[in-house]
Amino acid sequence: LGILLLGFALTDGYDLGTGTLLPFVAKTDPERRLVINSIGPMWEGHQVWFVLGGGAIFAAWPMVYAVSFSGFYIAMFLLLAALILRPVAFKYRSKRESPAWRSAWDWSLFTGSFVPALIFGMAVGNALQGVPFVLDDTLRMTYKGGLIDGLFALLNPFALVAGLVSVAMLITHGAAWLTVKLEEGVVRDRAAAVGKSA
């Protein structure tokens, strides 16, 4: 499971970082196309690591899988909605020439990259603190947080800082990718500057 999650962080990490950087390092449509094309051939395959990680949790610890997905229902819904938004943004961005259309899909790609990076970091932060799972007298595991109250309990300061650290790490990863992948130019220079400051 650790290898699968590490594979996801290493491969899809620069995809998420590049998508998060898109509105900031690429100002014109050709520049944005350049950034998107740098991850275009590979981003879809990198999602497999995440799917395999979820399957490994289900296979190894079905109780943990069940209580995690039911306890963190809203967080998981936001994560999956963002991960669904990414491929839609990739596919639909170039369907029309309208600048407003492309800008909307560029911001969708940003959202679909930023939100998972934040939620993954917050999940690690909450796991480090411990979450309110309890075992009853029949050894059934339940999440005590409740649906809405549980979501707000996950938004604690330590978890938010862990989420922002995750975002900063993936932005650095994406900036390094763009610096290596792109040829000399203004987009590469902007990505290098962001990578040094993040």
Side-chain angles (χ1 to χ4, degrees):
L1 178 61
I3 289 170
L4 292 174
L5 294 178
L6 184 63
F8 176 70
L10 291 175
T11 58
D12 205 45
Y14 68 81
D15 292 348
L16 294 172
T18 301
T20 304
L21 285 172
L22 178 66
F24 307 107
V25 299
K27 303 298 183 186
T28 65
D29 188 62
E31 290 177 355
R32 290 183 177 167
R33 189 77 250 163
L34 189 68
V35 170
I36 291 170
N37 286 344
S38 75
I39 58 173
M42 295 144 311
W43 70 268
E44 212 162 7
H46 296 160
Q47 302 291 324
V48 173
W49 291 97
F50 183 63
V51 174
L52 284 175
I57 293 172
F58 177 72
W61 302 290
M63 294 282 289
V64 172
Y65 178 88
V67 76
S68 298
F69 275 75
S70 61
F72 304 140
Y73 183 78
I74 294 178
M76 291 291 186
F77 178 79
L78 291 173
L79 174 67
L80 291 175
L83 288 174
I84 290 169
L85 187 61
R86 285 180 75 217
V88 174
F90 275 118
K91 300 293 182 191
Y92 279 88
R93 183 191 186 276
S94 298
K95 297 293 183 189
R96 292 177 54 195
E97 296 292 329
S98 166
W101 173 268
R102 290 190 174 184
S103 177
W105 287 115
D106 289 340
W107 283 103
S108 298
L109 186 56
F110 164 79
T111 303
S113 300
F114 175 81
V115 169
L118 182 68
I119 290 177
F120 288 140
M122 290 176 62
V124 170
N126 279 300
L128 290 173
Q129 293 182 104
V131 289
F133 294 117
V134 295
L135 293 173
D136 63 13
D137 51 349
T138 62
L139 295 181
R140 285 184 309 180
M141 193 182 302
T142 55
Y143 178 70
K144 287 191 69 165
L147 196 59
I148 301 298
D149 297 338
L151 176 67
F152 289 114
L154 298 175
L155 300 175
N156 58 71
F158 181 78
L160 288 171
V161 169
L164 293 175
V165 167
S166 171
V167 170
M169 288 173 32
L170 293 181
I171 283 175
T172 305
H173 198 125
W177 170 259
L178 290 174
T179 304
V180 169
K181 188 71 175 172
L182 299 180
E183 296 177 1
E184 292 286 335
V186 66
V187 177
R188 183 180 177 200
D189 295 341
R190 288 183 196 134
V194 169
K196 288 176 186 174
S197 64

